Amino acid sequence: MPLTRGFLAEGPRVGIRHFTLEDAAEFTARARESRELHHPWLFPPDTAGAYAAYAGRLLRDPAKAGFLVCEKDSGAIAGFININNIVKGGFLSGALGYGAFAHAAGRGLMAEGLGLVVRYAFGPMGLHRLEINAQPGNAASIALARRCGFRLEGYSPGMIYIDGAWRDHERWAITAEMVRAEAASGK
C-alpha cells in the first residue's frame, strides 16, 4: 500500500511523519488543549515562537529526530515522538520522548505510532537501542513503554530537571534484537 500524506510509515490507524514548520498552528493549539493532560510531565511548545524554535532544533540537529503521529483518516496530529541524544558509532542509540494530545489520549494511537517509530529507528535510521525515561508516577507513559515491548532496566534518582526540580525516572529500553525476536515469534 503506498504511503500517503508524506508518511514515513503507516499502521492501520496512524502514520508517522517528520515535523514541519507549517504544523505550528495545529501543534500549538493541541498543546494548549492538552495542558492538563501533560502537566506535570511535559511541556510541549504552545506558542508559534516556541514551536518554531522546537521544530527547528528537531529539523537541524542530527542528534534529534522528531515524528508526528497523525490519524490516517483525517491527518490530524494525535501526538509526537522524538528521538533525542542519537549516538552513532558503536552505540547506535537514542532516547525517546513523547506525548499524546488530549483528543487522542486513551485510543491506542500512540502505541501504534510508537511501534512505527521503533521499526523506523531500527530500520532506515540504523539504530540498535532506544530508551524511555519515565517518571514513576506517570502511569500512562510507563504503560505505553510496557505495551510496546520495552523492558524495565533501572531506576535513576534525580535524573532529569523538569518543572523546577530534579525528577526520578524509570529507565525502559528496547533493542533491535528484541523487536526481531518478537516478529519471529508471531506476536
Side-chain angles (χ1 to χ4, degrees), residues 162-186:
I162 298 174
D163 197 26
W166 289 97
R167 308 290 178 177
D168 300 345
H169 282 73
E170 292 182 5
R171 294 187 324 277
W172 294 78
I174 195 167
T175 64
E177 289 85 4
M178 291 166 65
V179 171
R180 283 194 293 272
E182 184 175 316
S185 72

Side-chain angles (χ1 to χ4, degrees), residues 48-139:
Y51 177 85
Y54 177 78
R57 284 189 300 273
L58 291 170
L59 294 167
R60 285 188 309 273
D61 187 343
K64 298 181 183 301
F67 303 91
L68 294 173
V69 177
C70 301
E71 296 181 63
K72 281 176 52 177
D73 61 350
S74 66
I77 300 171
F80 56 96
I81 301 170
N82 299 328
I83 307 176
N84 299 298
N85 305 323
I86 297 170
V87 179
K88 300 287 183 156
F91 206 43
L92 293 175
S93 75
L96 292 171
Y98 48 79
F101 289 124
H103 76 283
R107 296 173 43 206
L109 302 177
M110 289 300 290
E112 186 177 323
L114 183 54
L116 293 171
V117 169
V118 166
R119 287 189 295 281
Y120 188 80
F122 293 155
M125 291 181 70
L127 297 180
H128 170 259
R129 176 184 172 85
L130 293 170
E131 298 180 8
I132 292 171
N133 297 298
Q135 293 180 57
N138 191 341

